[in-house]
Amino acid sequence: MIFQDNKTYDVLKWIALILLPAVAVLYSSLAGIWNLPYVDAVPQTIMAVDTFLGVVLQISSDKYANSKL
């Protein structure tokens, strides 16, 4: 398992599943209203980081599950 601590895994999973997508949508919505810069680039960057984090977490989860067998 990549993460030795369940708490670390759980926090990162919450960040990947809840926080980062919410921040991307929030910025995208507010950027249109308030004319903030980089309307497309910021949410796309956040989602790229989120996708990477999701992959790393899934690899960790798979390794953990396989080690239990």
Side-chain angles (χ1 to χ4, degrees), residues 6-46:
N6 279 344
K7 184 173 173 101
T8 302
Y9 175 83
D10 290 341
V11 168
L12 289 174
K13 184 176 175 183
W14 181 83
I15 289 169
L17 291 176
I18 306 296
L19 183 65
L20 289 177
V23 170
V25 170
L26 178 65
Y27 187 87
S28 180
S29 298
L30 293 178
I33 296 168
W34 295 100
N35 295 319
L36 299 175
Y38 309 109
V39 177
D40 294 328
V42 171
Q44 288 175 1
T45 301
I46 292 170

